Amino acid sequence: MIAYGNESKSVRLEKIIKQEIAPKLEALAGPFTEKCIEYIISNSKLKQVAKDQYIEDNGSYEDGHLIYLYSGIAGSFYCPDLSSKTVVTRLWKKDEIMVDVNSFISKEDRIESIQMLEDGEIISIGYYQLKAAINEFPELHKLFPYLLIEREKYYIFYHHLLKLTVEERVNLFLKHNPTLINRINKDAIAQHLGMSRCRFSTAYSQYKLNKYN
């Protein structure tokens, strides 16, 4: 068992869920019973993950996970076909919950994979463990409508973003994500914004000129 300072991984996982994650989820869905929290702890895994590591591959809904990004940056992506470039549909940040809600509810295959864009830590729970938790603990039912609404809101925003000019896309992205530019590969940002690295670099240079002049 890997130790983090003087704490084992299991002790640290329990502390993170009880002191940090559970209060945030309760703010969305209402109070959780102690039994529910203990179930989440016993069926979750805390993992250190490295930059470029895949933390979720596309595939069957049964192989999917709900992943809490405790630290780091990750990107969701897919390839429309074998000859197409990678489409980075979302950049995930600390404390965000990554789960394909539609796949979980409809039992459809997941088309997106998730890759770490910098070192970090994740807490994950598998499909069957999550399904059993929802069946046993009614308080968890309220989480999925929230996650579904959040997902839809994001994709409405993202599709709006892609309709803007190159310069407008870069400006809006940096307005909402001012620190990411210094943390992750700019290729991932360019792919997310639907442009080449060259066009992104030109627009970013103009953004800096406008900002500091």
Side-chain angles (χ1 to χ4, degrees):
M1 183 177 293
I2 300 174
Y4 296 80
N6 295 322
E7 292 181 328
S8 68
K9 184 184 289 188
S10 60
V11 170
R12 187 162 174 263
L13 172 64
E14 179 177 0
K15 183 180 291 186
I16 290 171
I17 290 177
K18 284 187 173 180
Q19 297 181 3
E20 300 182 47
I21 298 177
K24 292 173 183 175
L25 298 181
E26 288 177 322
L28 301 173
F32 288 4
T33 62
E34 188 64 28
K35 187 177 180 181
C36 175
I37 295 173
E38 291 298 333
Y39 179 93
I40 293 171
I41 292 169
S42 63
N43 287 277
S44 296
K45 295 180 180 180
L46 172 65
K47 302 176 184 177
Q48 287 187 311
V49 286
K51 179 182 177 183
D52 297 329
Q53 181 177 340
Y54 286 81
I55 57 175
E56 185 93 321
D57 286 317
N58 60 15
S60 170
Y61 68 90
E62 295 176 298
D63 297 324
H65 294 77
L66 182 149
I67 301 173
Y68 184 91
L69 188 58
Y70 187 62
S71 66
I73 304 292
S76 291
F77 69 93
Y78 73 98
C79 298
D81 56 61
L82 295 178
S83 62
S84 296
K85 293 182 179 180
T86 299
V87 178
V88 179
T89 57
R90 183 158 183 175
L91 299 176
W92 300 93
K93 295 174 284 187
K94 174 179 167 58
D95 294 329
E96 292 189 320
I97 298 172
M98 301 177 283
V99 60
D100 190 329
V101 181
N102 291 331
S103 172
F104 183 87
I105 295 174
S106 304
K107 297 183 179 180
E108 299 174 349
D109 287 349
R110 295 165 293 106
I111 65 169
E112 294 185 346
S113 299
I114 306 176
Q115 183 180 29
M116 293 300 298
L117 301 177
E118 68 175 11
D119 295 347
E121 286 185 295
I122 60 172
I123 296 172
S124 66
I125 183 169
Y127 169 82
Y128 285 109
Q129 291 79 12
L130 181 59
K131 183 179 179 181
I134 291 172
N135 290 337
E136 184 172 351
F137 305 107
E139 55 264 44
L140 293 176
H141 292 181
K142 296 180 182 179
L143 272 181
F144 271 77
Y146 165 80
L147 293 173
L148 189 59
I149 291 170
E150 190 279 335
R151 178 188 176 98
E152 292 303 316
K153 284 183 177 178
Y154 176 81
Y155 282 113
I156 289 172
F157 166 78
Y158 182 56
H159 287 299
H160 164 73
L161 178 73
L162 294 181
K163 293 178 181 178
L164 303 176
T165 66
V166 168
E167 292 75 17
E168 289 171 336
R169 274 178 263 169
V170 171
N171 290 346
L172 187 59
F173 174 82
L174 293 172
K175 177 182 177 181
H176 288 275
N177 305 278
T179 64
L180 290 196
I181 193 72
N182 298 315
R183 294 176 60 182
I184 64 175
N185 191 310
K186 293 180 178 61
D187 286 334
I189 298 176
Q191 289 173 330
H192 178 60
L193 297 179
M195 63 185 70
S196 67
R197 171 63 185 270
C198 181
R199 295 187 75 187
F200 173 79
S201 296
T202 300
Y204 180 52
S205 296
Q206 187 60 51
Y207 168 85
K208 289 191 292 185
L209 284 174
N210 295 340
K211 182 178 179 180
Y212 297 111
N213 288 337

